[in-house]
Amino acid sequence: MYDDRTIWRHLDGELPEGEARAFEDALAKDPALARRIAELREVSAAVRGGVPKPPPDFAAKVAARAMAGPIAPVLPLDEARRFLQRVVVAAAILAAAGVAYLVVKILPSVLDAPLWAGPDNILGK
Amino acid sequence: MLLKMSGKARTDDTDLVRRIRAGDAEALRLVVERYQERIFALIHGIVRDAHEVEDVAQEVFLKVFTRIEAFDGRSQFFTWLYRVAVNAAKDHVKKRVRRPAAPLEEADALPGGAEGPDAGAARGETARLVRAAIDELPVRYREVLALRELEGLSYDEVAQVLGISIGTVESRLHRARARLKRKLTKAREAS
């Protein structure tokens, strides 16, 4: 009595030669085993079906993109939107950090400096 | 769609890889023509949405062009190419916001033969059930299934592509197929 694992190994061509021969012998005498193989083959055929074909101009399209120079990653729309959001957030954080620096480091010097002070005095040089 | 590389194909691959390293886009076009059907099948086996396959496949071949330096020649080119494709497909699955599944009827045409309409319908129903069951499999099962069933790779080749042991390949394959068979049996008993 063969289990499914062994039958799959046979169908996949992965049984060692001796075992494969014994399996073939058993198969010739056992219609129930043949029916089980047919069932598993049906699963296999269904897995293989329904595969989309590349469009006829696919290879030319890829080559043209490669020729077009630096290749931007192919991003699906949602991912591109998320990427853009991240860029905007990063830019906002950088801008906020810049403003904070100006407020903390430079503004007090400006406020403390006498009205007639030149730029060197204002920046504390 | 069995992939058994002849000696000539291997030689051609080596030559094409050399030309791609030199930035030859025509060599890339030849590689795409040689492998596009297999790469579409492999990506579809993992991504499971026919509408998304082309974008991912394009990404894979452009990576071949831009990252050919990462191919060190220790494995065969197709092993490396499949690894790039599997990783791109898995990344895509992780990142995507899932769209409604592709209509199944467009994927249901199995090779016919001289069978009557009832047998054909039953076969179509089996195909529909199995594909619905594949959609529910974890990606680690789908990838071994695609490499074995769609690409015809041996357990050893699947192990090389995925960087896992042969034993793991066999046990994932077995579990994936057992799930498919169970679903099929259950659905048949229910109908």
Side-chain angles (χ1 to χ4, degrees):
Chain A
M1 180 69 181
Y2 289 100
D3 59 9
D4 278 1
R5 199 176 191 121
T6 311
I7 299 177
W8 278 119
R9 290 184 72 207
H10 170 72
L11 292 176
D12 290 337
E14 298 279 346
L15 278 184
E17 204 178 321
E19 283 181 51
R21 214 174 302 121
F23 187 94
E24 292 290 345
D25 290 346
L27 181 59
K29 295 173 205 148
D30 185 354
L33 181 59
R35 272 197 302 278
R36 283 173 64 206
I37 288 185
E39 268 177 33
L40 298 188
R41 281 212 167 111
E42 204 180 357
V43 172
S44 218
V47 172
R48 284 193 219 124
V51 170
K53 295 274 177 218
D57 61 344
F58 180 70
K61 222 157 60 179
V62 174
R65 273 207 68 193
M67 285 290 281
I71 293 161
V74 183
L75 298 176
L77 201 59
D78 288 326
E79 203 187 326
R81 198 175 296 131
R82 276 200 300 277
F83 177 72
L84 201 62
Q85 279 170 353
R86 280 188 210 125
V87 169
V88 170
V89 169
I93 290 171
L94 272 177
V99 170
Y101 178 80
L102 283 174
V103 169
V104 172
K105 289 282 185 190
I106 298 176
L107 202 58
S109 319
V110 174
L111 292 176
D112 290 345
L115 282 176
W116 60 87
D120 286 351
N121 285 340
I122 290 174
L123 295 173
K125 288 183 185 169
Chain B
M1 202 179 295
L2 290 181
L3 181 77
K4 290 294 170 205
M5 291 285 108
S6 66
K8 185 172 184 310
R10 278 181 207 163
T11 312
D12 290 350
D13 279 351
T14 309
D15 185 47
L16 290 173
V17 166
R18 187 184 52 73
R19 286 171 56 191
I20 290 173
R21 280 189 208 277
D24 181 349
E26 173 60 13
L28 175 69
R29 192 184 64 75
L30 294 172
V31 164
V32 176
E33 278 188 352
R34 177 174 294 170
Y35 289 103
Q36 57 184 353
E37 292 203 3
R38 296 171 200 155
I39 294 301
F40 264 61
L42 175 58
I43 292 169
H44 182 253
I46 298 170
V47 167
R48 304 299 302 161
D49 185 336
H51 299 103
E52 296 173 354
V53 173
E54 188 177 339
D55 278 353
V56 182
Q58 201 172 124
E59 187 187 337
V60 167
F61 286 113
L62 290 174
K63 269 184 188 162
V64 167
F65 194 67
T66 55
R67 299 191 194 163
I68 193 70
E69 295 309 323
F71 173 58
D72 58 15
R74 275 185 293 179
S75 60
Q76 288 182 45
F77 173 70
F78 80 85
T79 309
W80 180 74
L81 174 62
Y82 279 3
R83 199 174 300 143
V84 172
V86 167
N87 288 338
K90 282 161 72 176
D91 284 349
H92 184 81
V93 171
K94 267 188 226 158
K95 284 178 197 161
R96 82 167 153 214
V97 178
R98 203 165 162 70
R99 301 181 336 163
L104 284 164
E105 61 268 24
E106 74 185 43
D108 274 348
L110 277 176
E115 55 188 14
D118 287 351
R123 208 168 271 277
E125 179 62 5
T126 301
R128 197 188 65 75
L129 289 169
V130 169
R131 285 182 206 136
I134 297 172
D135 291 347
E136 291 172 17
L137 287 177
V139 169
R140 66 180 183 282
Y141 290 167
R142 282 191 230 159
E143 63 187 11
V144 287
L145 211 51
L147 287 165
R148 170 61 221 148
E149 293 284 6
L150 302 174
E151 307 299 330
L153 299 196
S154 67
Y155 293 178
D156 183 36
E157 287 168 329
V158 175
Q160 282 178 47
V161 170
L162 298 178
I164 56 181
S165 71
I166 294 179
T168 307
V169 170
E170 196 185 340
S171 84
R172 283 185 190 174
L173 257 181
H174 178 66
R175 284 184 196 149
R177 287 158 158 173
R179 280 198 198 188
L180 298 184
K181 196 181 153 203
R182 240 185 346 259
K183 292 245 179 192
L184 198 57
T185 309
K186 211 186 280 179
R188 278 180 176 162
E189 282 167 3
S191 65

